[in-house]
Amino acid sequence: MITLSGATRDFVVGEQTVHALNNVDLEVEAGEYIAIVGPSGSGKSTLLNAIGLLDRLSKGTYRLENHDVTGLSDDELARIRREKIGFVFQFFHLIPRLKASANIELPLTLAGVDPAERAARVTAVLEDYGLADRGHHRPDQLSGGQRQRVAIARATVTRPKLLLADEPTGNLDRTSGKDVVHILERLNDDGITLLMVTHDPELANRAQRKIRMVDGAIESDKAVVSL
Amino acid sequence: MITLSGATRDFVVGEQTVHALNNVDLEVEAGEYIAIVGPSGSGKSTLLNAIGLLDRLSKGTYRLENHDVTGLSDDELARIRREKIGFVFQFFHLIPRLKASANIELPLTLAGVDPAERAARVTAVLEDYGLADRGHHRPDQLSGGQRQRVAIARATVTRPKLLLADEPTGNLDRTSGKDVVHILERLNDDGITLLMVTHDPELANRAQRKIRMVDGAIESDKAVVSL
Ligand SMILES: Nc1ncnc2c1ncn2[C@@H]1O[C@H](COP(=O)(O)OP(=O)(O)OP(=O)(O)O)[C@@H](O)[C@H]1O
Ligand SMILES: Nc1ncnc2c1ncn2[C@@H]1O[C@H](COP(=O)(O)OP(=O)(O)OP(=O)(O)O)[C@@H](O)[C@H]1O
Ligand SMILES: [Mg+2]
Ligand SMILES: [Mg+2]
């Protein structure tokens, strides 16, 4: 499903160049459940942004579902994202002036889903994520963990083929975090490819495969051995 | 140092009233090290914001260092915050157009510290928090955990009497998180009062006292028994 080959992403700050991704090779089959771990600043978000077509590579190639997406136009990338990718951002990026329910509904509207179906799905995910009484709140009227759950609900409501989650439990207590992960794992059981960046070692060990990044490179890429 | 009495904070959203803080009584002595835990949405950030004078109570009183601060003007609250309180926000609130070093330096400038001393202190904290080569980066040129550490550096660089940290390790790997907590604990050893909201049970168990919140109320308030 995903093939990165020699993937490099450089950032220039003044005189300095940061090699946020440094010659990364990666293959992901459809339906895999992968945890991405590593120190702060090691390139995890940069990797996820590249895979999610939110950012372009400086060097190397990216094939998504066997199409070379490296050189596509912004419009083409936006279309693929809308149709195939759900992204949970490390800092959510909710739309401030829209209530939680409207934020969650937006991808369904962009996908052309009819109003009745949209309303039903939004109600269902609000329930799933423990937000049933918070649908009318705008992001600034929500707690940190509630915003995080709205971001996750928004990314999953279209049941995308590829779900990319950047630190989805970083602002959640143990219980809310477990609830969220169970939902994401159910989606993976249904065939959705799930890539999750996480700082939580317990969470990482629930995946089938763990990729560890250090300084923009993949240091290890192994199956997770369940004890 | 801190006395909250009958502290209540209500939020109105449409027809609904959320009792984010519900009749909370709390006493904190100078120099204490307290963890605040509880489910997402239980009122932890609201409690910290009230203590940090970033938000006013709907009912009840707040005495800080034996002065009633409940009815003070915005200017008076701002002055007390500047002089006595360091706040690490759950979502950092860094100034987007300032580089990391300038973000960290700002409280020192507001406190009237001279330029040479400011430069020395900023350099020292950048080093402490593993950001020595990131001082020139703006927040949007930093990873999530790097931004978090800049927020912590900014809150601690003035060595405030009262340090309030809302989820200070939420975006940090285990190692960076430990480093940060060790620095905050050293400050507490030097007499700084430290209140930390955290979802990490291991972190919470390092404190001397643990306050658990549920639905806007303090459910328990106990000494932490070190095993
Ligand atoms: N726009 C940018 N300009 C310059 N440098 C950047 C930019 N974005 C990221 N970086 C740098 O690239 C490196 C990788 O960043 P990235 O956000 O991918 O890290 P991360 O592994 O997600 O970290 P964290 O766990 O802290 O979120 C970091 O050292 C960061 O400072
Ligand atoms: N401005 C607001 N308007 C309306 N409701 C609010 C507002 N701010 C917070 N709330 C509500 O008050 C409750 C407490 O919020 P708070 O941010 O204190 O929770 P928290 O314990 O910090 O949660 P988390 O662990 O998710 O950060 C939540 O249910 C939230 O929806
Ligand atoms: Mg990141
Ligand atoms: Mg909070």
Side-chain angles (χ1 to χ4, degrees), chain A residues 211-214 217-222:
Chain A
I211 293 171
R212 178 170 301 277
M213 293 193 68
V214 177
I218 291 182
E219 178 191 77
S220 67
D221 182 352
K222 303 192 195 131

Side-chain angles (χ1 to χ4, degrees), chain B residues 2 7-8 15 42 64 84 93 108-109 124 135 144 185 191-192 197 214:
Chain B
I2 291 169
T8 293
E15 309 263 300
S42 56
L64 175 63
K84 304 194 179 197
H93 297 180
L108 294 171
T109 312
E185 290 176 352
I192 289 173
V197 170
V214 177

Side-chain angles (χ1 to χ4, degrees), chain A residues 8-104:
Chain A
T8 293
R9 177 61 167 110
D10 294 326
F11 290 110
V12 179
V13 180
E15 310 262 300
Q16 186 196 11
T17 299
V18 179
H19 306 291
L21 278 187
N22 197 357
N23 208 13
V24 165
D25 296 325
L26 177 65
E27 290 223 22
V28 176
E29 307 294 316
E32 284 199 78
Y33 174 10
I34 301 177
I36 299 166
V37 304
S40 171
S42 57
K44 306 178 298 296
S45 294
T46 305
L47 176 63
L48 220 65
N49 290 340
I51 292 171
L53 301 176
L54 294 161
D55 191 21
R56 292 175 183 279
L57 297 173
S58 312
K59 296 184 197 140
T61 55
Y62 176 16
R63 296 186 75 80
L64 175 63
E65 289 196 309
N66 222 7
H67 294 122
D68 189 332
V69 291
T70 320
L72 297 185
S73 71
D74 289 352
D75 284 352
E76 288 168 309
L77 293 179
R79 187 183 54 79
I80 297 172
R81 287 199 305 266
R82 229 173 30 238
E83 293 177 5
K84 304 195 179 195
I85 301 173
F87 204 108
V88 186
F89 296 90
Q90 190 165 1
F91 299 109
F92 324 151
H93 297 180
L94 299 176
I95 298 176
R97 59 187 169 73
L98 295 183
K99 297 184 237 169
S101 52
N103 263 286
I104 295 167

Side-chain angles (χ1 to χ4, degrees), chain A residues 17-205:
Chain A
T17 299
V18 179
H19 306 291
L21 278 187
N22 197 357
N23 208 13
V24 165
D25 296 325
L26 177 65
E27 290 223 22
V28 176
E29 307 294 316
E32 284 199 78
Y33 174 10
I34 301 177
I36 299 166
V37 304
S40 171
S42 57
K44 306 178 298 296
S45 294
T46 305
L47 176 63
L48 220 65
N49 290 340
I51 292 171
L53 301 176
L54 294 161
D55 191 21
R56 292 175 183 279
L57 297 173
S58 312
K59 296 184 197 140
T61 55
Y62 176 16
R63 296 186 75 80
L64 175 63
E65 289 196 309
N66 222 7
H67 294 122
D68 189 332
V69 291
T70 320
L72 297 185
S73 71
D74 289 352
D75 284 352
E76 288 168 309
L77 293 179
R79 187 183 54 79
I80 297 172
R81 287 199 305 266
R82 229 173 30 238
E83 293 177 5
K84 304 195 179 195
I85 301 173
F87 204 108
V88 186
F89 296 90
Q90 190 165 1
F91 299 109
F92 324 151
H93 297 180
L94 299 176
I95 298 176
R97 59 187 169 73
L98 295 183
K99 297 184 237 169
S101 52
N103 263 286
I104 295 167
E105 189 187 15
L106 193 52
L108 294 171
T109 311
L110 294 174
V113 176
D114 71 79
E117 173 69 8
R118 296 200 304 255
R121 287 213 228 171
V122 169
T123 300
V125 294
L126 282 171
E127 191 74 33
D128 280 349
Y129 292 102
L131 297 166
D133 57 352
R134 289 288 180 274
H136 300 293
H137 287 230
R138 288 188 320 268
D140 64 307
Q141 296 171 317
L142 293 171
S143 79
Q146 290 166 346
R147 283 177 217 171
Q148 185 149 44
R149 284 178 272 153
V150 172
I152 299 166
R154 177 180 66 173
T156 53
V157 74
T158 49
R159 302 183 61 88
K161 281 188 170 192
L162 177 60
L163 182 56
L164 306 173
D166 199 344
E167 303 285 351
T169 64
N171 285 282
L172 298 177
D173 56 282
R174 196 118 295 206
T175 308
S176 314
K178 283 209 171 96
D179 294 344
V180 158
V181 168
H182 288 157
I183 298 169
L184 300 183
E185 290 176 351
R186 275 210 318 267
L187 294 172
N188 176 249
D189 290 340
D190 295 343
I192 290 174
T193 308
L194 175 59
L195 270 59
M196 193 183 332
V197 170
T198 183
H199 282 312
D200 184 338
E202 277 188 41
L203 219 61
N205 287 330

